[in-house]
Amino acid sequence: MDTLKHRSSGTRPCPCFPLAAMGILDSDSCPPSSPQRLDQELTWSWGHRPRREAMAPPPPLAASTPLLHGEFGSYPDPSLRLALTLTPQALHIQKLRPKPEARPRGGLVLLTEVSGCCTLRSCNPSDSAAYFCIYTYPRGRRKGRRKATHTFQADGAATYEENRAEAQRWATALTCLLRGLPLPGDGEITSQLLPRPPRLLLLVNPFGGRGLAWQWCKNHVLPMISEAGLSFNLIQTERQNHARELVQGLSLSEWDGIVTLSGDGLLYEVLNGLLDRPDWEEAVKTPVGILPCGSGNALAGAVNQHGGFKPALGIDLLLNCSLLLCRGGSHPLDLLSVTLASGSRCFSFLSVAWGFVSDVDIQSERFRALGSARFTLSTVLGLATLHTYRGRLSYLPATMEPASPTPAHGLSRAKSELTLAPAPAPPVAHSPLHRSVSDLPLPLPQPALMSPGSPEPLPILSLNGGGPELAGDWGGAGDAPLSPDPLVPSPPGSPKAALLSPIIEGAPETPASSEFLPPTPDGDPVAVSPGGPLDHLLPPLGSPLPPGWVTLEGDFVLMLAISPSHLGADLVAAPHARFDDGLVHLCWVRGGISRTALLRLFLAMEHGSHFSLGCPQLCYAPARAFRLEPLTPRGVLTVDGEQVEYGPLQAQVHPGLGTLLTGPPGHSGREP
């Protein structure tokens, strides 16, 4: 563990000194000592949904602008002295004594790798020093992330109160930078700048990801969330549609976000449950997030890319998404309203698939024990038995102005099928809840019976993660020498100290018109949502389409309608897609493609370069709505990887209907 301490000097040195020494600034270009405004650009923060019509924020500070500077000392080694400088993007560490080093190993702590921080105090009452701890997850030599803890000791003042104020000043400034909160222009940085800790409801499928989801949650997610100072309540789901029922009974005003720890299927349940509520217009605004602990992690792959991280899988992808979640921030999310042959509706955040993609998805369920490798095996089997499907695809091009759909118009047919390439990317009552754990005093019903094989209960985690972490890092005998000293103690009557409403388990609040689709071939019903906005671009299914639509009929190997960029954690199907571009990206492969060519397409999709292969059977069109009419009597249709009834369907994009917890946006090459 890398641990450090601080000493305040009588005269504050030039804030650019360590930066100049590290080559960030030329020593001759140091600014004058006049007061500098420290207002930060508010680009993201917890509890704020981005507004498109908002006024332009002030220009952000340069990445190397010094915000805080001070001399620190080592903990527990008192002989090591360091100079620390905090900038908007990193914490710079320079060794001063006993051997000065301008660029020591580990001397640059990127904020993109920081989960959170806390202040601590010594258990020894005679120790007047205060402590400031940072939790980081840098990449190791093998490219995987490993946790590192930096603890700084402030001991420059005579009293603990003064040292504590200095430690809290640094912790507050860092927390503001992590969460996108503005720093004051007068330089007065106090813990009063910080709002109450965000409250998250975590829903975990304990048997997702080959049964590793629960273990990953305990070992990685909960410690990181605790380090970030986020309050949470966690519930383990027990059956299909359990999450859907839970969100229908929630008092949503008490939560700042709902986060699923599983694959894409659990988030599908949550979103459709929100849209199934009588107050769906407000409910769907609740920010939702995803932490990849399942086999299919397409949305997490898109979040990872949006955050500026390199493509990742497994634990690395989970840690990347957890870091982004800890920093807060949301983004509008387009949702696709899908009307099925029976007239029922469900909402999709990911994709509608027919043909090869849906065949592989459903066939892979037989190999779920293999984890993400099940998709590879199923793809090989699908290529060996490649099928073509006769069908009709109609869509409203994104460039067309929508016409009011009326049954009087005839079906618009295209004379020829165009092969398009995407434009370049822009720069019932149930048993009580069995399993729950929380750092909030939620009055949840206690289980009367534990199901066999249920995971063991979670350990108690303290706020900011200070207690357990330091206890684990302390290598000496006896109790850990430091204890947590919270930045923002909960005042009486605060949300942290007050009981929240119980989560109701039982018959969900569902409108009378709510219904379920007929069981799938596996025997499990797929829930559909009757709520949500009207599909103003679509006539009734089976009625003629209005003018301006393009219709294609022929043999298809696959048809994919996708909203975000990723079809899987490592499959970039629509590399130019954004969460809120208001488009559904239609990709289809016509009959006549060879197995080799199809395999080449999917291999290139790992890098998002499949459109550059020049495959004549691969076609693409951005659209605002589409209709798919399978003419082959048997086949498989999936919505977000979930099998739905086979037959004609149609869908329309509802731009920005949902809100996705994404963390701050990144840029290409963000990672070192």
PDB file of all heavy atoms in Angstrom, residues 168 172 189-195 487-489:
ATOM      1  N   GLN A 168      -9.843  17.540   4.907  1.00  0.00           N
ATOM      2  CA  GLN A 168     -11.171  17.592   4.312  1.00  0.00           C
ATOM      3  C   GLN A 168     -11.203  18.509   3.095  1.00  0.00           C
ATOM      4  O   GLN A 168     -11.997  18.289   2.170  1.00  0.00           O
ATOM      5  CB  GLN A 168     -12.192  18.040   5.355  1.00  0.00           C
ATOM      6  CG  GLN A 168     -12.469  17.001   6.428  1.00  0.00           C
ATOM      7  CD  GLN A 168     -13.755  17.270   7.165  1.00  0.00           C
ATOM      8  OE1 GLN A 168     -14.278  18.377   7.134  1.00  0.00           O
ATOM      9  NE2 GLN A 168     -14.274  16.256   7.835  1.00  0.00           N
ATOM     10  N   THR A 172     -12.613  17.023  -0.237  1.00  0.00           N
ATOM     11  CA  THR A 172     -13.772  17.668  -0.860  1.00  0.00           C
ATOM     12  C   THR A 172     -13.466  18.076  -2.290  1.00  0.00           C
ATOM     13  O   THR A 172     -14.283  17.860  -3.199  1.00  0.00           O
ATOM     14  CB  THR A 172     -14.194  18.895  -0.040  1.00  0.00           C
ATOM     15  OG1 THR A 172     -14.565  18.482   1.277  1.00  0.00           O
ATOM     16  CG2 THR A 172     -15.364  19.607  -0.696  1.00  0.00           C
ATOM     17  N   ILE A 189     -12.934  25.925  -0.001  1.00  0.00           N
ATOM     18  CA  ILE A 189     -13.386  24.562  -0.278  1.00  0.00           C
ATOM     19  C   ILE A 189     -13.686  23.880   1.049  1.00  0.00           C
ATOM     20  O   ILE A 189     -12.771  23.591   1.828  1.00  0.00           O
ATOM     21  CB  ILE A 189     -12.317  23.780  -1.062  1.00  0.00           C
ATOM     22  CG1 ILE A 189     -12.014  24.497  -2.376  1.00  0.00           C
ATOM     23  CG2 ILE A 189     -12.778  22.361  -1.322  1.00  0.00           C
ATOM     24  CD1 ILE A 189     -10.874  23.864  -3.152  1.00  0.00           C
ATOM     25  N   THR A 190     -14.952  23.641   1.324  1.00  0.00           N
ATOM     26  CA  THR A 190     -15.373  22.970   2.556  1.00  0.00           C
ATOM     27  C   THR A 190     -16.307  21.827   2.201  1.00  0.00           C
ATOM     28  O   THR A 190     -16.837  21.747   1.090  1.00  0.00           O
ATOM     29  CB  THR A 190     -16.099  23.942   3.503  1.00  0.00           C
ATOM     30  OG1 THR A 190     -17.354  24.326   2.915  1.00  0.00           O
ATOM     31  CG2 THR A 190     -15.254  25.194   3.757  1.00  0.00           C
ATOM     32  N   SER A 191     -16.522  20.946   3.155  1.00  0.00           N
ATOM     33  CA  SER A 191     -17.385  19.786   2.921  1.00  0.00           C
ATOM     34  C   SER A 191     -18.836  20.177   2.685  1.00  0.00           C
ATOM     35  O   SER A 191     -19.635  19.346   2.251  1.00  0.00           O
ATOM     36  CB  SER A 191     -17.298  18.823   4.114  1.00  0.00           C
ATOM     37  OG  SER A 191     -17.697  19.473   5.313  1.00  0.00           O
ATOM     38  N   GLN A 192     -19.191  21.435   2.937  1.00  0.00           N
ATOM     39  CA  GLN A 192     -20.555  21.886   2.677  1.00  0.00           C
ATOM     40  C   GLN A 192     -20.866  21.912   1.185  1.00  0.00           C
ATOM     41  O   GLN A 192     -22.029  22.007   0.791  1.00  0.00           O
ATOM     42  CB  GLN A 192     -20.776  23.282   3.281  1.00  0.00           C
ATOM     43  CG  GLN A 192     -20.544  23.360   4.788  1.00  0.00           C
ATOM     44  CD  GLN A 192     -21.442  22.403   5.554  1.00  0.00           C
ATOM     45  OE1 GLN A 192     -22.634  22.298   5.262  1.00  0.00           O
ATOM     46  NE2 GLN A 192     -20.871  21.717   6.524  1.00  0.00           N
ATOM     47  N   LEU A 193     -19.847  21.848   0.354  1.00  0.00           N
ATOM     48  CA  LEU A 193     -20.071  21.808  -1.092  1.00  0.00           C
ATOM     49  C   LEU A 193     -20.682  20.494  -1.541  1.00  0.00           C
ATOM     50  O   LEU A 193     -21.287  20.420  -2.617  1.00  0.00           O
ATOM     51  CB  LEU A 193     -18.741  22.016  -1.832  1.00  0.00           C
ATOM     52  CG  LEU A 193     -18.039  23.359  -1.671  1.00  0.00           C
ATOM     53  CD1 LEU A 193     -16.668  23.298  -2.325  1.00  0.00           C
ATOM     54  CD2 LEU A 193     -18.876  24.465  -2.292  1.00  0.00           C
ATOM     55  N   LEU A 194     -20.530  19.462  -0.742  1.00  0.00           N
ATOM     56  CA  LEU A 194     -20.971  18.129  -1.147  1.00  0.00           C
ATOM     57  C   LEU A 194     -22.427  17.892  -0.780  1.00  0.00           C
ATOM     58  O   LEU A 194     -22.835  18.137   0.356  1.00  0.00           O
ATOM     59  CB  LEU A 194     -20.093  17.063  -0.488  1.00  0.00           C
ATOM     60  CG  LEU A 194     -18.596  17.137  -0.794  1.00  0.00           C
ATOM     61  CD1 LEU A 194     -17.850  16.063  -0.027  1.00  0.00           C
ATOM     62  CD2 LEU A 194     -18.353  17.006  -2.292  1.00  0.00           C
ATOM     63  N   PRO A 195     -23.235  17.420  -1.717  1.00  0.00           N
ATOM     64  CA  PRO A 195     -24.621  17.057  -1.391  1.00  0.00           C
ATOM     65  C   PRO A 195     -24.655  15.740  -0.633  1.00  0.00           C
ATOM     66  O   PRO A 195     -23.612  15.108  -0.402  1.00  0.00           O
ATOM     67  CB  PRO A 195     -25.268  16.923  -2.773  1.00  0.00           C
ATOM     68  CG  PRO A 195     -24.147  16.494  -3.661  1.00  0.00           C
ATOM     69  CD  PRO A 195     -22.904  17.166  -3.124  1.00  0.00           C
ATOM     70  N   LEU A 487     -16.710  12.834   5.695  1.00  0.00           N
ATOM     71  CA  LEU A 487     -16.714  14.214   5.217  1.00  0.00           C
ATOM     72  C   LEU A 487     -18.029  14.899   5.533  1.00  0.00           C
ATOM     73  O   LEU A 487     -18.073  16.042   5.949  1.00  0.00           O
ATOM     74  CB  LEU A 487     -16.504  14.235   3.696  1.00  0.00           C
ATOM     75  CG  LEU A 487     -15.082  14.091   3.188  1.00  0.00           C
ATOM     76  CD1 LEU A 487     -15.098  14.044   1.673  1.00  0.00           C
ATOM     77  CD2 LEU A 487     -14.223  15.247   3.657  1.00  0.00           C
ATOM     78  N   VAL A 488     -19.125  14.181   5.265  1.00  0.00           N
ATOM     79  CA  VAL A 488     -20.455  14.771   5.451  1.00  0.00           C
ATOM     80  C   VAL A 488     -21.226  13.916   6.428  1.00  0.00           C
ATOM     81  O   VAL A 488     -21.883  12.955   6.048  1.00  0.00           O
ATOM     82  CB  VAL A 488     -21.218  14.850   4.110  1.00  0.00           C
ATOM     83  CG1 VAL A 488     -22.532  15.587   4.293  1.00  0.00           C
ATOM     84  CG2 VAL A 488     -20.369  15.541   3.065  1.00  0.00           C
ATOM     85  N   PRO A 489     -21.141  14.190   7.742  1.00  0.00           N
ATOM     86  CA  PRO A 489     -21.926  13.418   8.709  1.00  0.00           C
ATOM     87  C   PRO A 489     -23.405  13.661   8.500  1.00  0.00           C
ATOM     88  O   PRO A 489     -23.816  14.748   8.115  1.00  0.00           O
ATOM     89  CB  PRO A 489     -21.450  13.952  10.066  1.00  0.00           C
ATOM     90  CG  PRO A 489     -20.914  15.310   9.762  1.00  0.00           C
ATOM     91  CD  PRO A 489     -20.357  15.260   8.377  1.00  0.00           C
TER      92      PRO A 489
END
